[in-house]
Amino acid sequence: MSLFGKVKNTINLFKNIDLDQLAKINQAIDLPEAMQALGNLDERQLKGLMRMLKTKRRKGQHDLPPIDGDFYNLDLKLTPEQRELQLKVRNFMEDEVRPLINDHWNRAKFPFEIIDKFKKLNIAGVPYEGYGCPNLPFLMEGIIAQEIARVDVSISTFFGVHSGLAMGSIYLCGSEAQKEEWLPQMQRLEKIGAFGLTEPNVGSGVAGGLETTCTYDGENWVLNGQKKWIGNATFADVIVIWARDTATNEVKGFLVRKENPGFKAEKMEDKMALRIVQNALITLTDCKIPEKDRLKKADSFKDTANVLRMTRAGVAWQAVGCARGAYESALKYTKKREQFGRPIASYQLIQNHLVEMISNLTAMQTLCFRLSELQDEGLLTDEHASLAKVYCSMRMRDVVSRAREVMGGNGILLEYDVARFVADAEAIYSYEGTKEINSLIVGRAITGYSAFVS
């Protein structure tokens, strides 16, 4: 190029340069060094750099929609007071629980320091009336389960066992004296509860095959047997134990206190899911329980089933929370993670995964919302609860799998949260009735034929 041409190009260049902006850039970086580095780039590299810079300007983070798993705005159906409580629980989980949860999950330890903070939420025993309980709709119990599981499924399980299964057993099956003794303390989380139904040899067949026995000796009930997978049991103050009466063959419920002679709870180790939940193997050896601690309104497995029906909706909501947490974590990641000079969220294959995830999540949310409405209207049946558990646990699995996939190798690292959701989803899929058992409950309702093994 001639000297005249170089001068002409230089003049045109200065016409298009913002000298103030150039001075600002010079303060932030070594401009001569940057110019030298740019001069060493080939044409392909320079074009790639320009595409990246243009993409940054065109799709700045401030222009992106918020990360929100409630695609159909179901929160708008809540009253202002209900929405306020939902956000109160969400803020608690974000501020108090999220910062410490991965460390405790990794070490299989329970963060006992959060219990005192949990008390201030005043959410234990959400749908129960009296005894210091909030007496809110079952819908809010579901919303709260979702919000807790959205950050951590283990904490949601701890809360569901205490507030749902343990308090629910006392609320539905206890005498007035038992309710007065336990429910106010449990509502304030001064006393923690657990629920012992599953056994080493008996899972889905508990209705007709409980091996734990209870025998009345004229003064006390003597319990013998084992319970397995009992959440909270290593530190609970009271454990609801279900046992088969040797005299009548009927199932009865008992309030077993941790100090009762003959009661032993051993922590289960080496779990791949719900590592924060302190599951125990309980051994009852001639454990004597006074008549006053027998649940007075629990005389058959039908009474046990009433408790499970009431709480199964909460497990479906847990699945929603697990899926929502995984989806939102994955969406956040795809907006920040860049490959080939662009956020991976801008690629078609990633967007397809994200749309499949939000579709599943939205279907789960709307199903559970209606389920809770049926419960509040007094119309909830076993098959309603079972259908929600089946569908939501299956769709949850798909959502967490896709969340891990869009994150690539980082999806197996705890720091990105999704690995924890993937593992914990497997526990939700199995407990509170397996897919097979819940499917048979729904199948019996829609066909009129029972396919259960007799």
Side-chain angles (χ1 to χ4, degrees), residues 85 122-129 133-138 140-141 144 159 163:
L85 179 57
N122 190 35
I123 56 174
V126 173
Y128 312 141
E129 183 177 1
C133 298
N135 191 26
L136 297 176
F138 280 101
M140 284 312 299
E141 183 180 49
I144 289 169
F159 185 74
S163 178

Side-chain angles (χ1 to χ4, degrees), residues 214-223 254 260 286-294:
C214 58
T215 303
Y216 191 61
D217 65 4
E219 188 175 344
N220 295 294
W221 289 90
V222 182
L223 274 58
F254 298 88
N260 279 125
D286 292 331
C287 183
K288 293 185 177 181
I289 307 298
E291 169 64 17
K292 74 179 184 65
D293 284 341
R294 179 179 66 83

Side-chain angles (χ1 to χ4, degrees), residues 413-439:
L413 294 175
L414 268 183
E415 66 178 287
Y416 295 100
D417 294 329
V418 166
R420 178 164 44 82
F421 287 119
V422 171
D424 290 346
E426 291 304 301
I428 294 178
Y429 184 73
S430 295
Y431 68 34
E432 285 279 357
T434 62
K435 172 186 177 295
E436 290 75 19
I437 291 298
N438 279 303
S439 294

